[in-house]
């Protein structure tokens, strides 16, 4: 079904200038980059201020001002690259060859810290995404994966060499699977090659195959090889399996702490370890060339991506204020709608399994101008020595999602916000300000709009911690051998033992009789607490004053018409939605004129790690935002000019499920 917007709707909704001022953004009416005034109020981000109070840090301003975003061509494919110019005179270059798949997302704070540490030491750092990864162009069906990735690395090294000259050293650091590509490089001139925690392609496939099967209940697709958040054809998986890790030697860097080494790229992003000591030693050991004046990087900022059917989409990498973005359009197709994509937690702007990349390029053919944007200190905006995951449930995240919406408003387009989990929370909060005509939120589970609710205790609980940061767990009473208070206690205490002490004594006795009982009891208590939170959140909040009330109505009640809210849930997330009063809150919102639709599907896993979950979400986006009225065939792909960046588009590895294939469409 196509979605139609009234061009005056968003103009009316954006009339609340006071709300924008509360976000600290100036309201203007003319886009400085536009040739004609916009009929809608426009929000202009202060380009001189670093987001959310960090502008007082001069060093933070420095690394952002030296950051450049663009594209490098590799065998006709456009590679997304981030270049961090040197601080002071240039003594060489560093190319960071990242891990792939899910590991690239988890390790991004480590690879960014390495690139920025090298830039601070006088090197120009080149960080990139290989073909089929991040924001880069997809592989062609006939491309050999290992050969293509080796060619990608060679192209980036050549660009670094061209920037610093033939005499300066160009060092290359490959992390995890990225280290497998170093041996295939031809002579690139002076510079070291360092394999950091190398693993083979076979190890990568085996490890992440296990993680996919153990962590996601949605069945794997029958064809190809499915890992968590990534899918390879059989030929691509076979090529990846042939990658060999470098042997131990002078150019191989291994961490002493093996547990911390695994945490560099495995697990959830909040669990990731950033080995700053190793980064400082690595950068300190790089050979320096003769210092030369720093020069600007003059790479391409726009690339043409050729889709499988021969049509072109154009993608531009730039910065809105301090936020790195990718703007996707289709030449020859009249823009009719704007979409902004934001991800969950600290995920990168490419989206879960690059879903936002795929959706943006497909929707561009239907007249949708899309913006994929990193939130502050995430993805390409990751700062130096950033060891902790940025918190997603903050007022700053809400401000961040309004920035790309403001750009689309300047173009005179109605705006749809798309996000997963915490990204959906930020979009729904921003919708109160009237910046969106529709919000599509996948698997939001927290609904309290107040930032202070999401404190360290909250994050430690959901990340598996035992107590808040800086807090100590209450000291348990020390039971005697019988589990009763000591004789020094008063008469009343001797008659009525402490329930905590008595429970510990019973558990000790049961544990000695049957090992594992204590853990079973703890697991049962956690399940009971979870069920109580889902089914009776008010009761749980009353019993646990330290747990704030979390109801769907708290986030939906402030929303006002005209607005559409589309919610998609997996089975567990839908139970949480219903338990927190979601059906009643949705009905109340409809009575206020807000069009709320709710659907749930067993294939929709929480983080969209499954290919089925991503296909389901893509089908929803095409159903809501795409239109059959746009005649794409009437706009043939233009001939590539000699200096253009032409690259093949998405390989048909993900088939969008037709809307008729949806299950369990629910409207409460």
């Amino acid at each position: 079904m196509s979605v139609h917007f009234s061009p005056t709707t968003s103009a009316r909704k954006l009339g609340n200038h006071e709300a924008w001022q509360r976000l600290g953004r100036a309201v203007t009416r003319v886009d400085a980059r536009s040739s004609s005034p916009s009929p809608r109020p426009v929000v202009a981000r202060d380009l001189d201020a670093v987001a959310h109070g960090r502008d007082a840090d001069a060093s933070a301003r420095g690394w952002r001002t030296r950051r450049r975003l663009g594209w490098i061509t590799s065998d006709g494919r456009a590679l997304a690259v981030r270049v961090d110019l040197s601080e002071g005179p240039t003594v060489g270059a560093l190319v960071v060859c990242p891990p792939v798949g899910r590991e690239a997302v988890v390790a991004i704070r480590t690879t960014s810290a390495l690139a920025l540490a090298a830039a601070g030491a006088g090197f120009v750092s080149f960080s990139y995404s290989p073909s089929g990864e991040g924001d880069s162009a997809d592989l062609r069906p006939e491309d050999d994966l290992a050969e293509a990735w080796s060619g990608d690395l060679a192209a980036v090294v050549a660009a670094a060499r061209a920037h610093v000259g033939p005499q300066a050293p160009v060092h290359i650091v490959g992390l995890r699977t990225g280290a497998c590509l170093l041996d295939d490089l031809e002579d690139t001139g002076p510079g070291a090659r360092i394999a950091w925690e190398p693993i083979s392609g076979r190890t990568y496939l085996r490890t992440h195959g296990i993680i996919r099967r153990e962590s996601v209940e949605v069945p794997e697709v029958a064809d190809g090889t499915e890992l968590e958040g990534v899918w390879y054809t059989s030929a691509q998986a076979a090529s990846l399996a042939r990658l060999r890790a470098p042997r131990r030697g002078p150019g191989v860097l291994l961490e002493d702490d093996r547990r911390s080494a695994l945490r560099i790229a495995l697990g959830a992003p909040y669990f990731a370890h950033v080995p700053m000591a190793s980064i400082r030693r690595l950068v300190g050991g790089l050979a320096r060339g003769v210092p030369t004046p720093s020069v600007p990087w003059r790479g391409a900022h726009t690339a043409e991506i050729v889709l499988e059917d021969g049509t072109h989409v154009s993608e531009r990498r730039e910065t809105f204020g301090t936020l790195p973005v990718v703007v996707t359009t289709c030449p020859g197709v009249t823009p009719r709608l704007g979409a902004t994509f934001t991800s969950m937690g600290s995920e990168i702007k490419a989206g879960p399994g690059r879903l936002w990349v795929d959706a943006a390029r497909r929707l561009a053919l239907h007249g949708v101008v899309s913006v994929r944007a990193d939130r502050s200190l995430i993805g390409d905006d990751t700062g130096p020595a950033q060891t902790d995951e940025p918190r997603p449930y903050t007022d700053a995240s809400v401000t961040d999602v309004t920035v790309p919406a403001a750009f689309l408003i300047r173009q005179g387009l109605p705006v749809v916000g798309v996000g997963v989990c915490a990204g959906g929370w930020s979009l729904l909060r921003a919708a109160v300000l009237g910046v969106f005509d529709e919000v599509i939120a996948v698997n939001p589970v927290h609904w309290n709009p107040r930032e202070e609710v999401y404190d360290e205790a909250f994050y430690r609980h959901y990340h598996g911690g035992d107590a808040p940061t800086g807090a100590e767990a209450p000291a348990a009473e020390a039971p005697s051998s019988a589990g009763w208070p000591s004789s020094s206690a008063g008469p009343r205490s001797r008659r009525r033992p402490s329930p905590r002490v008595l429970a510990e004594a019973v558990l000790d006795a049961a544990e000695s009789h049957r090992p594992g009982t204590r853990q079973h009891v703890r697991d049962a208590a956690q399940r009971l607490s979870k069920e109580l939170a889902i089914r009776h959140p008010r009761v749980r909040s009353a019993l646990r004053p330290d747990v704030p009330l979390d109801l769907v109505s708290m986030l939906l009640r402030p929303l006002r018409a005209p607005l559409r809210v589309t919610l998609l849930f997996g089975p567990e997330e839908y139970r949480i939605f219903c338990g927190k009063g979601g059906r009643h809150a949705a009905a109340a919102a409809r009575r206020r004129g807000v069009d709320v639709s709710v659907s749930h599907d067993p294939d929709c896993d929480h983080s969209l790690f499954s290919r089925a979950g991503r296909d389901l979400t893509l089908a929803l986006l095409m159903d809501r935002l795409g239109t059959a009225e746009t005649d794409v065939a009437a706009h043939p792909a233009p001939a590539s000019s000699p200096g253009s960046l032409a690259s093949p588009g998405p390989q048909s590895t993900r088939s969008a499920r037709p809307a008729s294939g949806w299950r369990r469409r629910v409207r409460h």
Side-chain angles (χ1 to χ4, degrees), residues 393-418:
Y393 293 97
T394 63
D395 295 338
S397 295
V398 179
T399 303
D400 287 342
V401 299
T402 67
V403 174
F407 166 80
L408 295 169
I409 290 170
R410 292 188 183 104
Q411 318 308 312
L413 298 171
V415 183
V416 179
V418 183

Side-chain angles (χ1 to χ4, degrees), residues 82-109:
R82 164 180 161 173
V83 178
D84 293 287
L85 300 176
S86 60
E87 182 177 353
T90 299
V91 297
L94 172 70
V95 174
V96 180
C97 185
V100 296
R102 183 67 186 164
E103 292 191 3
V105 179
V106 178
I108 192 151
R109 295 202 298 276

